[in-house]
Amino acid sequence: MVTLLNTVQETKGRPRHPEKARLPDTPVMRKPEWIRVKAPGNHALDGTRETLQRHGLHTVCEEAACPNIGECWSKRHATVMIMGDVCTRACAFCNVATGKPAHLDPDEPMRTADAIAELGLTHVVVTSVDRDDLADGGAAHFARTITAIRKAAPETTIEVLTPDFMRKTGALEIVLEARPDVFNHNIETVPSLYRRIRPGAEFSHSARLLKEAKRIDPAVFTKSGIMVGLGETDDEVESVMDDLRAADVDFLTIGQYLQPTRKHAAIDRFVTPERFADYKRLAEAKGFLLVASTPLTRSSYHAAEDFVQLKAARLASLAG
């Protein structure tokens, strides 16, 4: 079986990744058996899709072409993506559309909260595009969304997966004052690959953001994730683990990078399930409260179940 990826994608009639249009096509590797997922029947997704569409919401599940969308949506789990569906960054790994975003929708926090209440979620992940065009990077919009969810679904625990708020003084404090249960910001890759894979971002800044989050609110669970298969070495992966532990990060996720289109960064290697298990053992030995490390692990995959384990792990560590 040969894996085929689109060369050009469009969204709402415009190129989805205009900054990549003139790039040469990258090679595509055949997926090994362990990375393939069974496509669900459309009816398995209809309930979740209908609720989200009726409330006019975007999800990172769709925009980033997550391979786990069938499993998650069939269980009525979705990761809401606020502040629109157009990102101001142009990361080489990401399938979210790039361009000039629209103005913020002031009603979006309430619509998000209503959809979450309707879906009956016990735990929700709220993420966003990067909004470098906003003075606070969208921090206040995150805070309003958290507050609205607390009111509409008081039993739902809330995880935020935020941008890096580069050069947005005070933004992190605004988000944390709204008291999310989990603060997540993904490191994404190793420092040596940032210029090629995550332009516009800085590894040291992201690490500091996570450390500062824990300093501001020691009770919040902090979380970060990386992709492998982009050209990093195992030694570099271990070094990132050390950097995240130095930032007092509680929860680490590690998953296989999958190439959205031929214009995105090429896959360097498919990491075996056995190696992912090695990463997990190594990270656990370094002191993370929880580690999720499999080929199909994504930042929000099994987030509700993981939050239960995270709380239990913290209680166990305190008791010990």
Side-chain angles (χ1 to χ4, degrees):
M1 181 176 119
V2 177
T3 303
L4 296 177
L5 288 81
N6 293 331
T7 297
V8 177
Q9 293 184 334
E10 292 190 354
T11 179
K12 298 178 183 176
R14 65 177 183 271
R16 190 174 182 86
H17 304 288
E19 78 290 348
K20 296 179 175 65
R22 296 184 179 181
L23 296 178
D25 288 359
T26 54
V28 175
M29 296 177 67
R30 178 179 178 177
K31 292 181 181 178
E33 290 296 330
W34 66 76
I35 208 72
R36 300 175 189 177
V37 293
K38 182 179 179 181
N42 286 335
H43 68 279
L45 312 180
D46 288 344
T48 301
R49 178 183 288 117
E50 190 277 329
T51 299
L52 295 166
Q53 288 181 346
R54 180 159 35 83
H55 290 280
L57 301 178
H58 302 288
T59 69
V60 75
C61 321
E62 294 175 292
E63 300 298 334
C66 179
N68 302 315
I69 187 171
E71 177 185 346
C72 294
W73 279 31
S74 65
K75 297 176 181 177
R76 298 177 70 80
H77 294 167
T79 298
V80 179
M81 190 173 77
I82 60 174
M83 297 192 281
D85 60 349
V86 177
C87 187
T88 55
R89 301 277 178 95
C91 295
F93 64 87
C94 185
N95 200 43
V96 174
T98 302
K100 182 179 180 180
H103 293 296
L104 287 183
D105 181 349
D107 296 327
E108 185 180 53
M110 185 55 67
R111 294 202 315 275
T112 300
D114 289 343
I116 288 164
E118 185 175 328
L119 288 168
L121 302 183
T122 58
H123 183 83
V124 65
V125 181
V126 178
T127 190
S128 78
V129 291
D130 272 285
R131 291 298 302 259
D132 296 314
D133 59 311
L134 300 175
D136 69 349
H141 201 76
F142 263 105
R144 286 192 290 270
T145 302
I146 295 168
T147 300
I149 295 169
R150 294 279 186 226
K151 184 175 181 180
E155 300 302 315
T156 301
T157 50
I158 302 170
E159 178 174 332
V160 292
L161 171 54
T162 76
D164 60 13
F165 298 129
M166 180 79 79
R167 292 180 288 277
K168 308 296 182 183
T169 303
L172 177 62
E173 288 82 354
I174 292 171
V175 174
L176 292 175
E177 283 172 6
R179 303 301 299 272
D181 297 284
V182 180
F183 177 82
N184 185 356
H185 171 66
N186 284 333
I187 290 286
E188 304 292 10
T189 188
V190 302
S192 68
L193 297 180
Y194 256 57
R195 180 171 295 183
R196 178 169 65 88
I197 300 301
R198 201 178 171 214
E202 295 177 3
F203 180 88
S204 58
H205 171 80
S206 287
R208 284 195 304 271
L209 186 79
L210 289 157
K211 186 173 185 176
E212 185 68 3
K214 183 67 80 172
R215 186 196 66 78
I216 294 170
D217 183 2
V220 74
F221 289 102
T222 52
K223 177 178 176 181
S224 190
I226 62 171
M227 302 167 289
V228 291
L230 282 161
E232 72 293 325
T233 67
D234 286 341
D235 285 344
E236 286 180 307
V237 173
E238 182 174 0
S239 180
V240 167
M241 293 180 189
D242 291 334
D243 291 332
L244 293 177
R245 282 305 302 134
D248 204 17
V249 170
D250 297 305
F251 184 6
L252 173 64
T253 62
I254 308 174
Q256 171 70 52
Y257 166 64
L258 296 176
Q259 182 180 355
T261 76
R262 293 182 186 274
K263 298 298 185 182
H264 286 77
I267 297 172
D268 175 75
R269 58 172 175 155
F270 282 107
V271 179
T272 66
E274 293 76 18
R275 190 68 188 111
F276 275 103
D278 291 339
Y279 289 149
K280 179 178 174 66
R281 285 190 290 269
L282 182 60
E284 288 174 339
K286 291 179 181 294
F288 290 97
L289 286 181
L290 192 65
V291 180
S293 177
T294 71
L296 289 174
T297 290
R298 295 297 181 268
S299 187
S300 305
Y301 190 42
H302 294 162
E305 297 92 329
D306 287 339
F307 182 66
V308 173
Q309 292 186 54
L310 198 56
K311 289 190 295 182
R314 174 177 282 178
L315 288 173
S317 68
L318 293 174

